[in-house]
Amino acid sequence: MLNPPSPTVEDIHALMAERDALRDALRMMTTERDLALERLKAFQRQLFAAKSEARGSSHQQDLFLNEAETVAATSPAEESLPGITVAAHERKKRGRKPLDPALPREVVRHELPASERICSHDGHALIEIGVETSEQLDVIPEQVRVIQHQRVKYACPCCDLGIKVTPVVPRMIPRGLLTESALAWIITGKYQYGLPLYRQAVLLSRFGGDLSRNTLAAGVVRIGQGVQPIINLLRDVLLDSDLVYGDETTVQVLKETGRKPQSQSYMWVQMNGAGPPVRLFTYTPGRGAQHADKLYAGIKPGAAFITDGYEVYNGIAKSHQLVHLGCWSHVRRLFIKAEDAIPKKARGPHQLATQFIQAIAKLYGAEARSKDWDTTKRQRLRKRYSQRIVAHIEKLLLTHLPDVTPESLLGKALLYMKRQWPKLIPYIDNGEWPISNNLCENAIRPFVVGRKAWLFADTVGGANASANLYSLIETAKANNIEPYRYLKWLFTLLPLAKTVDDFTALLPWNMPPSEQ
C-alpha cells in the first residue's frame, strides 16, 4: 500500500488560511446571532415588560451617600448633604384622610324616635348631650341647563324712529350654542382628562344636553383659533427666557392637503425654565429644520437650550448662538435597555451597562439632594462632587468604547453618549441649568396620554386648535391654576380685549386670586 504524499508548505498555509477564514466567519455569525437575540429581547421587553426606568438598588444609594460624606468632610458645613430619611421609620397617622373643610356640607340629623328616648332604669326622659359625627363624600352629577338671553327692546311712544335694542354681549363664538362655562368644561374634559368628544356627547345626552360630536368639535376649533393672541404673547415670554426646553412627538391628521391619512405629523412642545412658566404646543406636518426654525425664530441669543439628541436641534443652537445642553436621562435610557437585554442570571455590578447606570444614578442623587438649594450652593456641589462622577463616566466611556460592538445595544448607548458628551457636561458649571429634559417630557406626557384616547386629529385646523388649547391648559397647571377656572375666566374676558395690555392682563399668572 502506497503512503499518501506529505503535505507541502503551500498546503499547510492554505489549510491555515481556510481555518482562519472559518474562524472569522464563525465569530461573525456568533456576533450576528447575539445581536439578533439582543434585539429580540429588547422588542419583547418593549411590548410586554414594565416601562419604568427606576432602579431600586439600595447599593447605589449607599454608594452615593458614602461619597457625599467624603465631599462634606472637605467642604464648609453649609455644603454638607442633608441626611437621608428612611421611609420605613416614618410614623404616619393612621386612618383615612379628612374631607376638605372648604366643601359645602349638608347636615343630616338622625334622632331616636320619642318612644325610645326614655331611660330603661328609672323611666326619666333622656336629654341631648351631644352628637357623634361622621362624614361621607357625595357627588352630584353634571347638571345641564339653558341660559336664556333676553335683550330688551325700547321704542319711542311718539314716533316709529326711536327703536333701540340692548346690544349683544361679546362672546368667543358669536351666536354660539355653548356658554363659556360649557366650553371650558368640554375643553378640559378632552385636553386635560383625555375624554374624546364623542364620549362627552354621550355623557351630556344623559342629562338632557342632546348635542352632536360635530357641534362640540366645531366649538372647540373656533375657541382654539380665538385664543391665538394669548398664544402669541406666551411665545414672546418663552423666547425671551434664559432657559428653554424642546421636544416633539408624533400625531396623525387625517385630512391634510397633499398628504395621505397615514402620514406622520408632529406636535412640538417648548417650555421655559426661567420667568413665569410657559408650556407651548405647536403642530407641524413634518420634523425637518424648516419647521423648527419657525418655532425658535426670535429666541434670546446666548440662552441655554436643552433637548434630546435630535440633529435638528443642533442647527437651532448653532444658528442662534445658544448654549446647547444634553439630557442625561436619554443617555441613561439607552444603558437601561442594554442592561435589560442581559439575562438575569448574568446581571450584576460587573456588567458595563450597570456601571454606567450606577454612576449616572449618583449624578441624579446629587440633584435630588440639592433640589431646594440656592443656585450658588448647588453649583458648588456639582463642582466638588458631580464633576468627579462625570470624569469617572468619561474614563469608562473612553476605555470600553473601542471594545464594544457598535451595533449592539451597549455599543449604541456608548456611541450616543460620545456624540452627546460636549452637551452633557456644561450643566456642571451653572447651578440653574438642568441635568435632563425630563420636565419637557412631563409637559408633553398629557398629550401622549390623550392621544391614546382620541387617536388622531381630523383636520389641520383641529390639530392647530388642539395645540393652542393644550398650551393654555398646561401653562395654567404650571402656574398652579385650575385649568377649568382659568379657561372660563379667559373665555369671558377675551372677547372684550382690544389692546396689547388687555390681552397681557389675561395671561395665566395675571389671573386674580379671587377667580382662581
Side-chain angles (χ1 to χ4, degrees):
M1 183 176 181
L2 297 176
N3 294 327
S6 300
T8 64
V9 174
E10 290 77 8
D11 294 336
I12 294 175
H13 285 299
L15 289 172
M16 293 176 64
E18 183 179 0
R19 180 202 64 187
D20 293 339
L22 290 173
R23 181 182 296 166
D24 292 341
L26 177 61
R27 185 183 298 112
M28 181 176 298
M29 293 179 63
T30 302
T31 302
E32 291 178 350
R33 181 205 63 189
D34 293 341
L35 290 175
L37 289 174
E38 186 181 62
R39 286 194 293 268
L40 175 61
K41 291 180 181 178
F43 288 140
Q44 289 175 332
R45 180 170 180 82
Q46 184 176 357
L47 288 173
F48 305 114
K51 301 300 188 293
S52 174
E53 299 174 9
R55 288 297 185 267
S57 173
S58 59
H59 170 73
Q60 297 179 18
Q61 192 175 53
D62 293 341
L63 186 60
F64 165 72
L65 289 174
N66 292 338
E67 296 196 21
E69 291 167 1
T70 304
V71 177
T74 58
S75 304
E78 70 273 13
E79 293 183 8
S80 62
L81 295 177
I84 184 171
T85 300
V86 183
H89 293 172
E90 292 181 352
R91 297 287 183 179
K92 294 185 178 181
K93 184 178 179 181
R94 300 199 173 199
R96 60 188 181 190
K97 181 180 177 181
L99 299 177
D100 187 354
L103 290 174
R105 276 164 168 71
E106 176 183 342
V107 177
V108 180
R109 186 177 172 88
H110 303 275
E111 297 184 346
L112 288 173
S115 60
E116 296 184 17
R117 281 181 273 176
I118 298 174
C119 179
S120 58
H121 296 286
D122 55 20
H124 283 86
L126 300 179
I127 61 172
E128 182 177 333
I129 59 172
V131 295
E132 291 187 4
T133 302
S134 62
E135 294 187 330
Q136 292 179 301
L137 184 66
D138 188 31
V139 177
I140 301 174
E142 287 83 357
Q143 296 180 355
V144 177
R145 63 177 183 175
V146 176
I147 304 296
Q148 185 182 82
H149 297 273
Q150 296 183 351
R151 295 163 50 215
V152 180
K153 296 198 280 186
Y154 301 88
C156 176
C158 301
C159 66
D160 296 333
L161 302 178
I163 299 178
K164 293 184 178 181
V165 182
T166 306
V168 177
V169 177
R171 300 171 62 186
M172 287 291 294
I173 304 178
R175 303 180 64 182
L177 187 61
L178 299 169
T179 66
E180 288 70 23
S181 177
L183 288 168
W185 183 84
I186 291 167
I187 289 170
T188 53
K190 178 174 181 179
Y191 298 109
Q192 185 178 3
Y193 301 112
L195 191 62
L197 294 181
Y198 78 89
R199 295 184 187 174
Q200 295 195 50
V202 172
L203 183 61
L204 286 172
S205 67
R206 294 177 56 191
F207 308 108
D210 190 9
L211 299 176
S212 69
R213 180 180 63 175
N214 291 337
T215 300
L216 301 182
V220 169
V221 172
R222 292 282 297 276
I223 290 292
Q225 296 169 344
V227 299
Q228 190 63 50
I230 304 299
I231 300 299
N232 295 340
L233 291 176
L234 291 176
R235 183 168 296 280
D236 291 341
V237 173
L238 180 137
L239 295 177
D240 196 43
S241 299
D242 293 324
L243 173 61
V244 176
Y245 298 71
D247 201 358
E248 78 289 330
T249 188
T250 58
V251 65
Q252 184 180 4
V253 178
L254 297 184
K255 300 173 184 176
E256 187 166 10
T257 304
R259 306 188 75 203
K260 296 180 179 180
Q262 297 82 9
S263 300
Q264 188 167 266
S265 300
Y266 286 87
M267 189 69 76
W268 302 69
V269 63
Q270 301 164 279
M271 59 172 282
N272 60 347
V278 175
R279 309 289 185 264
L280 281 184
F281 291 75
T282 307
Y283 166 78
T284 63
R287 197 189 181 198
Q290 70 273 22
H291 303 296
D293 288 338
K294 295 178 181 178
L295 297 180
Y296 292 96
I299 190 172
K300 184 177 180 179
F305 182 45
I306 181 164
T307 67
D308 57 21
Y310 182 40
E311 184 63 29
V312 165
Y313 292 125
N314 294 332
I316 297 296
K318 184 177 180 180
S319 61
H320 294 282
Q321 294 85 47
L322 306 176
V323 180
H324 199 181
L325 305 177
C327 176
W328 279 95
S329 289
H330 281 80
V331 173
R332 181 181 59 184
R333 194 169 298 156
L334 295 178
F335 285 110
I336 289 175
K337 289 182 179 179
E339 184 188 54
D340 289 338
I342 301 172
K344 290 186 178 181
K345 293 183 179 179
R347 295 180 190 176
H350 63 283
Q351 293 288 352
L352 184 58
T354 304
Q355 294 178 36
F356 276 102
I357 294 170
Q358 290 178 346
I360 295 173
K362 285 183 274 188
L363 294 180
Y364 276 90
E367 296 304 304
R369 301 297 174 184
S370 61
K371 179 180 179 181
D372 298 324
W373 293 4
D374 61 73
T375 301
T376 304
K377 189 176 177 182
R378 184 184 305 113
Q379 184 176 352
R380 285 202 297 265
L381 174 65
R382 289 177 175 180
K383 295 293 288 185
R384 298 188 182 188
Y385 173 74
S386 300
Q387 192 168 35
R388 293 195 293 110
I389 305 303
V390 169
H392 171 66
I393 294 174
E394 184 179 22
K395 183 178 179 180
L396 279 177
L397 172 65
L398 297 178
T399 301
H400 296 282
L401 181 61
D403 303 326
V404 179
T405 305
E407 291 80 11
S408 67
L409 292 177
L410 181 57
K412 291 178 181 179
L414 292 173
L415 288 174
Y416 182 83
M417 175 181 276
K418 183 177 183 297
R419 290 194 298 266
Q420 294 295 305
W421 192 255
K423 295 181 285 187
L424 293 172
I425 57 178
Y427 91 97
I428 296 290
D429 299 321
N430 191 315
E432 293 184 351
W433 291 346
I435 189 176
S436 73
N437 201 29
N438 282 350
L439 286 178
C440 197
E441 291 190 348
N442 291 339
I444 209 171
R445 185 170 289 113
F447 171 83
V448 176
V449 173
R451 183 182 58 194
K452 293 180 179 179
W454 45 259
L455 300 180
F456 52 79
D458 189 48
T459 64
V460 174
N464 288 326
S466 296
N468 285 351
L469 295 172
Y470 268 115
S471 300
L472 293 180
I473 288 176
E474 292 306 313
T475 299
K477 288 164 59 178
N479 284 273
N480 298 317
I481 297 174
E482 209 287 312
Y484 167 78
R485 292 182 181 274
Y486 172 66
L487 293 183
K488 181 182 176 182
W489 175 76
L490 175 66
F491 296 164
T492 302
L493 299 180
L494 187 57
L496 305 175
K498 302 297 181 185
T499 66
V500 175
D501 291 339
D502 293 339
F503 290 113
T504 303
L506 299 179
L507 295 176
W509 49 85
N510 292 328
M511 184 178 180
S514 59
E515 298 288 345
Q516 299 179 22

